[in-house]
Amino acid sequence: MSSRLDGRIGVVIGGGSGMGRAISHRLAEEGVKVYVADLNGEAAEAVAKEIEQRGGRAVPVQVDATSVAELRALYARIEAEDGVLHIVHNQVGMPGAGGLDVSEEEFQRNIDVNVKSVFYSATLAFDLLKRAGKKASITMTASTSALVGSPFSPVYSLTKSALVGFTRALALVGAPDGIRVNCIAPGTVHTPMLASFFGRERGADVSALTKEFVAGIPLGRGAQPEEIASVVAFLASDDASFVTGVTVPIDGGLTAK
């Protein structure tokens, strides 16, 4: 594994499981000191321990990404310990309620998790990212549902679509300081959260629904978390030094149809 990110400091918000775990590992393998931030403190500690056992550098932090105060505290800690930040990746998200019968409480929860957390995790990091010598990268995780729409959960499409426009706007804000901002849009990824996307309806056959959906993917399979992590690592690296303001589908060709 090349060390194209040697000596850089990064934070993966939602790094305790699934895609976030794989991204934390990949960045560490490429030389990043990774702050593994997650609502589940034990999960963050487990991932950080895994990274350290493989010779990498990681710091676990328990963070509620919907709390501005906790995000401020996270960045204050990074400033105190490292004084600079090169990479911010936000993996936080939730599937959202199915259909149109969405309570105000459910709606607000989706906004907080899928939109508010992304906005503040990115914008509150700007001062630290400006110190990265024009080598800073912000990535955020949308979904193919932001690009083609989800008949299963319109509120999920609503919140994830917001990230596509936000990416473009923030890329323009960050450009003068060399802060690149990009978005990934994964399709079906084999993580613990996958079942929740197909199991919104009571009694749903999750296995059958997943198999049916995957059959419609041109490459004929879902992604592994490591395949998502490789794209984030590319976007964080100098290999993507002229890439900003874009949303990259990682979907096996689903949105090409």
Side-chain angles (χ1 to χ4, degrees):
M1 179 68 68
S2 64
S3 298
R4 58 184 171 177
L5 297 172
D6 241 359
R8 300 191 189 184
I9 310 299
V11 59
V12 179
I13 301 173
S17 66
M19 286 181 273
R21 173 180 175 272
I23 291 164
S24 295
H25 273 279
R26 179 59 182 263
L27 293 178
E29 288 168 5
E30 297 217 23
V32 179
K33 175 183 176 181
V34 182
Y35 284 82
V36 182
D38 202 279
L39 181 62
N40 185 331
E42 292 182 357
E45 289 178 7
V47 173
K49 186 175 181 180
E50 291 169 359
I51 289 171
E52 290 174 346
Q53 288 173 340
R54 297 180 186 181
R57 298 179 298 157
V59 179
V61 188
Q62 183 172 7
V63 173
D64 179 351
T66 67
S67 167
V68 173
E70 292 193 24
L71 288 171
R72 288 188 191 279
L74 168 65
Y75 291 130
R77 177 174 179 178
I78 294 173
E79 180 176 28
E81 295 186 10
D82 294 287
V84 65
L85 186 60
H86 300 84
I87 300 163
V88 174
H89 176 73
N90 188 305
Q91 188 59 44
V92 174
M94 63 180 293
L100 302 179
D101 186 14
V102 181
S103 70
E104 287 188 57
E105 291 76 15
E106 288 176 308
F107 180 84
Q108 188 60 53
R109 179 63 177 161
N110 274 263
I111 293 295
D112 288 346
V113 173
N114 291 350
V115 180
K116 178 184 176 182
S117 76
V118 179
F119 178 86
Y120 284 105
S121 66
T123 58
L124 292 176
F126 252 58
D127 285 345
L128 281 172
L129 293 167
K130 287 179 181 179
R131 304 175 191 177
K134 297 197 172 183
K135 292 182 178 291
S137 168
I138 296 173
T139 45
M140 57 192 81
T141 305
S143 165
T144 53
S145 294
L147 305 176
V148 298
S150 170
F152 304 107
S153 179
V155 71
Y156 184 68
S157 286
L158 168 68
T159 57
K160 288 301 187 179
S161 296
L163 305 190
V164 176
F166 180 52
T167 293
R168 295 190 184 113
L170 200 61
L172 298 179
V173 175
D177 294 300
I179 301 172
R180 296 180 299 103
V181 185
N182 294 292
C183 185
I184 60 170
T188 299
V189 185
H190 294 291
T191 70
M193 188 179 285
L194 181 60
S196 65
F197 283 89
F198 296 102
R200 294 186 181 96
E201 300 297 329
R202 183 173 297 179
D205 186 337
V206 174
S207 178
L209 288 170
T210 303
K211 185 176 181 180
E212 179 183 351
F213 190 83
V214 168
I217 298 173
L219 287 184
R221 63 176 179 85
Q224 295 299 320
E226 291 75 17
E227 293 176 294
I228 310 304
S230 66
V231 177
V232 174
F234 162 71
L235 291 171
S237 75
D238 292 345
D239 291 338
S241 58
F242 207 57
V243 180
T244 193
V246 303
T247 296
V248 182
I250 315 172
D251 62 0
L254 183 67
T255 56
K257 295 195 296 181

